[in-house]
Amino acid sequence: MTAAQPEVDHAGRDVNTQAGDVLLKVEGAKKYFPIKQGIIFQKEVARVHAVDGVDLEVRSGETLGLVGETGCGKSTLARLIAGLYPMTAGTVSFDGSDITNLSRKKMRPFRRDIQMIFQDPYGSLNPRRRVGSIIGDPFDIHGVADGAERKKRVQELMEVVGLNPEHFNRFPAEFSGGQRQRIGVARALALRPKLIICDEPVSALDVSIQAQVINLLDDLQNEFGLTYIFIAHDLSVVRHVSDRVAVMYLGKIMETGPVDDLYGLPRHPYTNALLSAVPIPDPDRADSRERIILRGDVPSPVNPPTGCPFHPRCPKAQDICVQEMPPLEPVFVDPPTHRTACHFPVPEGEDISQCTPGIDQSGTGPLVGADLSAITTGS
Amino acid sequence: MTLIAADEVAEQKGGGGKDPQPTKAIEGRAPLQLAWARLRKDKVSLACLGVIVLLVLVAIFANQLTDLIGHPPNEQYRDEGLQPNGLPVAPSSFFWLGGDEVGRDVLSRIIHGARVSLLVGVVATAFAVLIGVTIGTMAGYFGGVIDTFLSRTMDVFLSFPFLLFAISLVAVKGASLRISIFVIAFFIWANVGRIVRGQVLSIREKEYVEAARSLGASDLRIMVVDVIPNLVAPVIVYSTLLIPTAIVFEATLSFLGLGVPIPTPTWGNMIATSQSTYLQAPWYLLFPSLALFITTLAFNLLGDGLRDALDPRAARVLARK
Amino acid sequence: MTLLDVTDLRVSFPTEDGLVRAVQGISFTLDPGQTLGIVGESGSGKSVCTQTIMGLTRGAQISGTAMFEGRDLLTMGDNDLRKIRGAEIGMIFQDPLSSLHPQYKVGWQIVEMIQAHEDISTKAATKRAVDLLRLVGIPQPDRRVDDYPHQFSGGMRQRAMIAMSLALNPKLLIADEPTTALDVTVQAQIIDLIERLQAEFNTAVIMITHDLGVVADIADDVMVMYAGKPVEFADRRTLYYRPHHPYTKGLIESIPSAEGERGRLKPIQGQPPSLIRLPSGCSFHPRCPYVMDQCVTEIPPLRQVAGSADHRSACWLPVDEVGIGGEVDRKREQVALARRGTLAAESSDVIDSVDVPDGSAADVPADVGADTTTRGRTQPLASTATRAVRARTGQPAPPARPQRRGATATEAVTAAPVKKAAPKTSAKKAVAKKTVASKTAGTTAKKTTPRRTNSSQNGSTS
Ligand SMILES: Nc1ncnc2c1ncn2[C@@H]1O[C@H](COP(=O)(O)OP(=O)(O)OP(=O)(O)O)[C@@H](O)[C@H]1O
Ligand SMILES: Nc1ncnc2c1ncn2[C@@H]1O[C@H](COP(=O)(O)OP(=O)(O)O)[C@@H](O)[C@H]1O
Ligand code: SF4
Ligand code: SF4
Ligand SMILES: [Mg+2]
Ligand SMILES: [Mg+2]
C-alpha cells in the first residue's frame, strides 16, 4: 500500500508475481441455514442459501477484498473460515492443514492464527467489562499471560493501536466509535495471528474516522506481516486496501482478480453495475459518467434464481443464463488470476446500460421512475 | 467595543475547552455506578429505598425494638389489652396501634411480622433468581432442543395451580417457614427464567459473544463472563419487583393458615384473624394491611426507578413525552 | 420565489446530562427545483435540523424561523403543519423500519395518506398507490399493495416510504440519509428517481447524507455541518475543488481516491466533540491542523470567502486560501504557523482528552461555555440589517481590534474574481455582498451567528 512503489505490496513483495504462499484455501464452501417452523417439533420448511459454493485462495501477506451487497453472504463466509459455523459442504484449509468442521478442541490452536474484527463497534465489545479485560481475553482464554504480565501486554497493545494505555480501566461506553474499533483491533492482534478477517471494520464509522482505522490496519499489516480478508460494501475502500478482490452475489463469487484488473476492466455485468453505481466524490466525474440502473433488489437467498443468480436483473441475460451457472474462469484475454463467472462477459468498451436482456425480467420489478404519471395525477 | 471586549473575557473564561477534570472524574466508572448516580437524583426512588432500609432495620432489630416498647409480640395482656367485653383495645398510649383479639400488642406483632415478610420475600426471590437465571440462561444460550424442553418446563410451572399445590404440600409436610419459602420460590422462578431467556436470546446474537467464540472461549466461560454480567440490570429490576409479589404470596399463605405456623406473627395471619372483629376493631385490620401495602408499594416504585436508572434511554424517552 | 428560507435555526435538548446544543444557528434558502446537500458526521445535527423544520422534534428548545412559502413552520399550529407535512413537504427518513406502521398494509398506509390531503375515492387512491409502488420499482405492485411492511425487504420498505413521500407531489422533498441503509445498486435507482422527479416537477430537495459522493452527484449547493454548526456553504464544484474550511478539506481528503491510488489516507485526527461540552472558539480547533491562537478563543463567523459568489466558511484562515493540495496547503500552514502561539500549541494536546463521546459523560455538568453567552444576546436579523445599511452608506466599519481581523477584512474585498454559483444573483450584488460580509467579519466577527447576508438577499431578489 505504499504509494511510492506501486509494484510492491505492503509486505514488500512484488504484487505481480504473487510471491506469497497460499495461507488459506476455501473449496466449494456452502452454508445453508435451515428455516424451521413448529412449536414443539421443529420442521425445516426452507433453507437460506447464504454461501453457495465458494472457492477462494488467500496468499500470505496479501489483502483479499470481499465486496457485495447486503445479504450476499460475506459475513457468513467469514464465519465459516473462522470456524464459527459448521459448513454444509466444502473444505477450508489453513496453512496446509484441513480445518473443516474441526471440534472445538482441535480448532483451538488455529484460533490463535485466525482472528476477526467485527463491524459494529458498539456490539462487538461487552458493555459490562473493562477495556483492559476485553483486550486481555485472548491471553486469558489461551492461558498465555497472567496478572502483571497480561496487563503489560494489554497496555502495549493499546499503545500499538493508538489508544491511551492508561485507559485500560475504562468501559467501552466511554470511547467513541473509532476508538472502540481500535479496541477490537487490539483484541484481534493480541495473539499475533497470521490471518485477520475484517468484517466491515469501517462501515459503521464516520468518514473522517474511517481513514484513521484503515491507516491503522495498514500499518499493522506492514509491522506484523498480517494477511487480511477485508469485507466491505464500500467499493472505494476495498479498492484502496486490497491486493485482490472478489465480488459476491447471492452466495457465489461472480468475479475475482487483482484489484487494478478488476476495477480497470470489470468483466461481469454485475461488477459493472456495482462500480457504476458507486457515488463519486468528484462533481465533474460524477456528471460525466453513466450510471447503470438495475431492476429491483437482490432476490431472497431462500429461493435463489436458477442458473446464474444475477439473471433476473442482468441487462445481458439470455436463455442459457436461466439454465446454467457459468464457471468462474478467465475470459477474453484476461490473465489466469482474473476470473469471471458469466456466459456473456463484458468486452472492453461495451456500455451494458444499452443492452437489452433476451429474457423476460418483468417479475424482478419495474424500472424505477419509468412512469411518473402516478405523481402527476395528484395536485 | 467595550461590549465585545467584555464578551471576549467571558468566552475565554467559559470556554477553557480542555479542562481535564471531567475526563478524569468519569474515568473507569462502572455502568452500575452511573446508574446509582442517576438513581440518586430520583426522589421517589430514594424515598422508597429509605422505607425499605427502615423496614430491614426494623426486621433485624425486632427483638430490641419490642424490648424497648416493653411488649413482646406473643405476650397476652389479658387486662390492659382487652376490653371488659373481650374485644381488642383501641390504639392508646399503652398499645400504640391497639391490641388484638387475645390482648397482644399489634405494633410489636407488626414489627415481628416484618421479619417474616422480608425474610420470605428476599430468600424466596433469591432462590427464584438463582434457579431462573440458571435455567433461563441455559435455555436462551443453547437454544434448540434444550430451549424447547426448558421453555415448556417453565410454561408448566407458570400454569400450575398455586394454592392447590400449597395446600397439598402443607397437608403432607406441615406448615413451616421453609415450606413457605420453597412453595413461593417454586412458583416464581419461572417468571425470572422467562425474562432471562428472552434477554439471553438477544445477548447471544451480539458480536461480542461471537468475538469470544472466535477466540476459542468455552460455552461456560461465555455464559459467565459475557452473558450473565449483562443480565445484572434486568435481574436487579425484576427481583425488586418480585420481592413484593413474594411478600404478598407469603401473606396469602399465612392468611389461609398455610404459612408460618402460629403464634409467630405474620402480616398475613394478623389480617386473617382481624377479620372476625374488623367492625369493632378496624385498627387491627388496618395497620397490618398498611404495613403490607407500604412495603409492596416501596418495592414496586423502587423497581420502576431502578429500571429507569439502569436504562437511561428509556427514562429519557419517557421524560420527553 | 424562495420556497424555504431558514434563518438562524437553533435547537437544543435539555437532558439530564446537560443541554445538548444540536443545532446552533443554521440559515439557508432553497428555491424550487434546487437541491441542497447537507453533509456532516453523525451527530452533527443534520437530522435534528430538518426534523425541527417539519415540527418533529419534541421537547426541544427552538429558536429562529423557517419560512415555507412565506409562512413560518416553526410557529405554525399543529393542524396547519399537518396539512403541509406530506402534501407540500415530503420526507424520507433515515430508518425505513420505523417510518411505516407495522400493523397496517403498505397500500392502505399510502391510501390513507393521500386521502388525508385530497378528496378522492378509495378506489382511485388505491390505483394511485399501485402506480406509485410501480414507480419506485416494486415488483407486482398490484399484489404487493396488500402486503404488510414486514413482508417487504429493507430496500422495498425504503422504496415504499419514498412512494408515500412522493404521492402528493410535494414542492419540497427532505431526504434524510435515504440511501444509507440501502445497497449501492438500489441507491443508484433512488438517486436517479429523485433526479427525474426534479426534472419533471421542479421539486426542491434537501438531501442529508454523510456520503460526499452522493452530494457530488446530485446537490446544487452543499452545507457542511460540524458539531451543530454550518462550517462551510458553497455550490458543489466550489466545495469539492476549492474548499476553504479545514474540516471540509479534511473530509474530502480522508476518502480513498476514486482512481484507487494506494497511498496513505489522510484522516482527520481526533474525535467529534460532545455537543454538551463544545471546545472553546472554533469547535473544530482540537482536530484542526491549522489551529491558531485566535481559533481557541474566538468563534469564527460564517463569512464570505473566495471560492465563488456564494461561498461562505466559518474559519479564521484568510478568506482567499481556498482549494486543496500543495500550494494552498503550504500557504495555510504558513499563516497558521505565523499566528500560532501557546494557546494553539496546547490545544493539540486536547485531542487525547476530548475523546469521551456523547452520553458517557453522563454526569459532567454542561459547562457554561462561550456559546451560551453569545447566543443570549445575538439578534441575527436585526444585526444583519444594520450591517447591510452600514455597508451601503459606506460608513466605515469600526476599527477591528486585533490586527489580524483587519487584515482578514481586506483580504475578503480583494478576493479572487468569483465564478457565479447560481443565476439568482447579479455580479454586482455579489460584490456588494462580499463587502458586507467582509465588514461583518471585521466588526462583529466573534458572534456565532452565520451571516445571513447572502441568503436573505437572495430571498428578496429572486
Ligand atoms: N430528542 C433528543 N434528545 C436529546 N438529544 C438529541 C435528540 N435528538 C437528537 N439529539 C442529539 O442531537 C445531535 C444531532 O443528532 P442528529 O440525529 O441530527 O445527527 P445526524 O447528523 O443526523 O447523525 P446520524 O448520521 O447519526 O443520523 C446528536 O448528538 C443527538 O444525540
Ligand atoms: N443464523 C442465520 N440464520 C438464518 N439465516 C442467516 C443467518 N445468518 C445469516 N443468514 C442469512 O444469510 C444471508 C447472508 O448473510 P450475511 O453473510 O450476514 O450477509 P452480509 O454479511 O453479506 O450482509 C442473509 O440472507 C442472511 O439473512
Ligand atoms: S450474462 Fe448471463 S451469466 Fe452473465 S451475468 Fe448476465 S445473466 Fe449471468
Ligand atoms: S478557525 Fe482555526 S481551528 Fe477552526 S477550522 Fe479554521 S483554522 Fe482550524
Ligand atoms: Mg455482514
Ligand atoms: Mg441522522
Side-chain angles (χ1 to χ4, degrees), chain B residues 121 162 184 242-254 292 296:
Chain B
F162 165 64
I184 294 168
L242 215 52
I243 290 175
T245 315
I247 291 178
V248 172
F249 261 161
E250 188 281 325
T252 314
L253 287 178
S254 294
L292 186 61
T296 340

Side-chain angles (χ1 to χ4, degrees), chain B residues 61-82:
Chain B
F61 298 107
N63 285 332
Q64 287 81 345
L65 276 173
T66 43
D67 282 353
L68 245 145
I69 299 169
H71 303 153
N74 290 326
E75 184 80 31
Q76 303 183 355
Y77 296 83
R78 295 266 163 184
D79 303 328
E80 303 92 328
L82 287 176

Side-chain angles (χ1 to χ4, degrees), chain C residues 60-104:
Chain C
Q61 300 166 357
I62 301 169
S63 73
T65 57
M67 309 299 283
F68 180 73
E69 298 192 306
R71 299 200 290 160
D72 188 357
L73 295 169
L74 299 185
T75 54
M76 196 177 276
D78 265 1
N79 274 337
D80 291 340
L81 202 57
R82 212 168 295 133
K83 267 180 220 148
I84 289 185
R85 226 186 273 153
E88 314 259 314
I89 306 180
M91 184 141 187
I92 308 171
F93 291 94
Q94 189 166 359
D95 176 11
L97 291 175
S98 60
S99 27
L100 285 172
H101 197 296
Q103 305 289 336
Y104 298 104

Side-chain angles (χ1 to χ4, degrees), chain B residues 68 70 74 112 123 125 144 148 177 253 262 281:
Chain B
L68 245 145
N74 290 326
H112 276 263
V123 175
T125 304
T148 311
L177 186 68
L253 287 178
I262 42 175

Side-chain angles (χ1 to χ4, degrees), chain B:
Chain B
M1 278 297 97
T2 32
L3 183 79
I4 292 177
D7 284 342
E8 184 154 83
V9 175
E11 271 180 10
Q12 278 168 343
K13 265 208 287 200
K18 41 187 177 306
D19 175 9
Q21 269 156 10
T23 324
K24 213 173 260 163
I26 63 160
E27 175 138 4
R29 284 186 68 173
L32 287 182
Q33 276 173 300
L34 289 173
W36 168 236
R38 266 182 232 115
L39 192 71
R40 271 200 322 226
K41 291 186 203 145
D42 179 356
K43 298 234 166 52
V44 176
S45 299
L46 277 193
C48 291
L49 196 63
V51 170
I52 291 167
V53 169
L54 198 72
L55 269 168
V56 171
L57 288 177
V58 165
I60 293 174
F61 298 107
N63 285 332
Q64 287 81 345
L65 276 173
T66 43
D67 282 353
L68 245 145
I69 299 169
H71 303 153
N74 290 326
E75 184 80 31
Q76 303 183 355
Y77 296 83
R78 295 266 163 184
D79 303 328
E80 303 92 328
L82 287 176
Q83 293 177 29
N85 58 7
L87 285 173
V89 293
S92 65
S93 60
F94 184 70
F95 281 171
W96 290 355
L97 301 184
D100 72 358
E101 83 288 352
V102 287
R104 290 172 297 196
D105 186 348
V106 169
L107 179 59
S108 295
R109 290 183 71 74
I110 288 181
I111 289 173
H112 276 263
R115 238 183 193 185
V116 175
S117 291
L118 286 181
L119 188 70
V120 174
V122 172
V123 175
T125 304
F127 276 122
V129 166
L130 201 71
I131 307 171
V133 168
T134 314
I135 304 277
T137 306
M138 289 201 330
Y141 183 82
F142 290 111
V145 185
I146 297 179
D147 181 29
T148 311
F149 175 72
L150 293 177
S151 293
R152 295 302 150 257
T153 311
M154 288 191 267
D155 288 346
V156 168
F157 273 87
L158 286 172
S159 42
F160 228 75
F162 165 64
L163 282 177
L164 284 183
F165 177 80
I167 291 170
S168 29
L169 196 72
V170 170
V172 178
K173 289 272 176 188
S176 74
L177 186 68
R178 262 190 231 174
I179 292 287
S180 294
I181 292 176
F182 173 76
V183 168
I184 294 168
F186 188 80
F187 277 100
I188 57 179
W189 75 265
N191 291 294
V192 185
R194 257 200 188 174
I195 297 228
V196 166
R197 173 182 171 268
Q199 293 280 334
V200 174
L201 276 183
S202 77
I203 294 173
R204 185 181 67 168
E205 301 302 324
K206 289 273 159 57
E207 277 185 350
Y208 57 81
V209 170
E210 194 134 25
R213 240 182 243 145
S214 78
L215 288 170
S218 64
D219 287 331
L220 186 66
R221 187 195 147 93
I222 295 176
M223 279 194 268
V224 173
V225 175
D226 286 315
V227 176
I228 292 183
N230 284 289
L231 295 172
V232 169
V235 166
I236 286 181
V237 172
Y238 201 67
S239 17
T240 317
L241 297 172
L242 215 52
I243 290 175
T245 315
I247 291 178
V248 172
F249 261 161
E250 188 281 325
T252 314
L253 287 178
S254 294
F255 183 90
L256 296 172
L258 304 169
V260 184
I262 42 175
T264 311
T266 72
W267 296 344
N269 66 26
M270 290 173 79
I271 295 171
T273 44
S274 72
Q275 295 297 312
S276 52
T277 55
Y278 79 95
L279 279 180
Q280 295 82 9
W283 60 86
Y284 186 25
L285 174 62
L286 178 71
F287 290 118
S289 310
L290 209 59
L292 186 61
F293 173 72
I294 290 174
T295 310
T296 340
L297 188 69
F299 273 108
N300 277 316
L301 289 178
L302 179 67
D304 283 346
L306 277 173
R307 188 190 343 246
D308 292 349
L310 288 165
D311 185 2
R313 245 150 275 279
R316 248 174 255 174
V317 170
L318 287 176
R320 250 184 278 140
K321 280 180 188 158

Side-chain angles (χ1 to χ4, degrees), chain A residues 206, chain B residues 316 320, chain C residues 13-15 20-23 40-49 51 57-58 94 176-177 208 210 275 358:
Chain A
D206 275 312
Chain B
R316 248 174 255 174
R320 250 184 278 140
Chain C
F13 297 96
T15 68
V20 177
R21 287 181 228 120
V23 172
E41 288 173 284
S42 90
S44 58
K46 308 177 299 284
S47 307
V48 170
C49 167
Q51 279 168 5
T57 35
R58 288 210 200 125
Q94 189 166 359
D176 186 355
E177 311 227 8
I208 299 178
H210 62 254
L275 293 184
D358 255 356

Side-chain angles (χ1 to χ4, degrees), chain A residues 75 119 199-200:
Chain A
S75 307
Q119 168 174 5
D199 188 359
E200 312 225 14

Side-chain angles (χ1 to χ4, degrees), chain A residues 268-270 308 310-311 314 316-318 321 326 341-345:
Chain A
H268 200 281
Y270 177 63
C308 169
F310 189 52
H311 83 248
C314 178
K316 296 190 76 176
Q318 301 296 332
C321 307
C342 178
H343 292 299
F344 309 100

